[in-house]
Amino acid sequence: MTKVVQTKEAPAAIGPYSQGIVVNNMFYSSGQIPLTPSGEMVTGDITEQTHQVFRNLKAVLKEAGASLETVVKATVFLADMNQFTEVNEVYGQYFDTHKPARSCVEVARLPKDALVEIEVIALVK
């Protein structure tokens, strides 16, 4: 069974992809960047951008029937690894007791010149 996840509580896809897909009780999110649900880029610092990314992730997870507590793997993409400490601090506010597996990489550039992008894989309840 495959289900396309779409919610107005997170920004619409800016290309030919879905906000996420559920397959066999597993949710695979597309990468979330710091866009508001209306599509405006959060232009604040890395901390503000990371909080917006988590708001988006929570919205798509909820629509999928999952939550941050059911995330099994997260991948974090950073425009500048020197901002890892700030991102990690915000990340820890959302994953404080539940700590999924994680990868974090620096990339040359992110869509819309975002400073951070995060994608997750989660179990659907």
Side-chain angles (χ1 to χ4, degrees):
M1 177 187 105
T2 301
K3 172 188 166 191
V4 174
V5 174
Q6 180 66 38
T7 177
K8 293 185 185 306
E9 301 300 313
I14 56 175
Y17 59 90
S18 305
Q19 290 173 328
I21 298 284
V22 175
V23 179
N24 298 330
N25 295 327
M26 292 297 295
F27 171 65
Y28 301 86
S29 82
S30 291
Q32 292 293 319
I33 61 173
L35 289 174
T36 65
S38 64
E40 294 178 47
M41 187 70 174
V42 171
T43 57
D45 66 14
I46 189 70
T47 299
E48 293 172 72
Q49 287 199 10
T50 305
H51 279 295
Q52 183 61 50
V53 167
F54 272 99
R55 285 191 285 275
N56 296 342
L57 286 170
K58 287 171 67 173
V60 294
L61 284 160
K62 180 179 177 184
E63 184 67 22
S67 68
L68 289 174
E69 290 74 36
T70 67
V71 170
V72 295
K73 174 75 165 73
T75 305
V76 179
F77 303 94
L78 296 176
D80 182 355
M81 193 58 83
N82 289 321
Q83 296 179 317
F84 175 81
T85 301
E86 293 94 322
V87 171
N88 205 41
E89 197 170 294
V90 174
Y91 184 96
Q93 293 173 28
Y94 293 91
F95 292 118
D96 57 345
T97 55
H98 171 66
K99 295 178 176 37
R102 179 180 78 181
S103 299
C104 181
V105 295
E106 180 179 286
V107 295
R109 193 169 176 202
L110 291 167
K112 298 196 176 277
D113 292 319
L115 301 175
V116 60
E117 179 174 359
I118 301 174
E119 63 184 27
V120 296
I121 300 170
L123 291 168
V124 175
K125 301 174 198 172

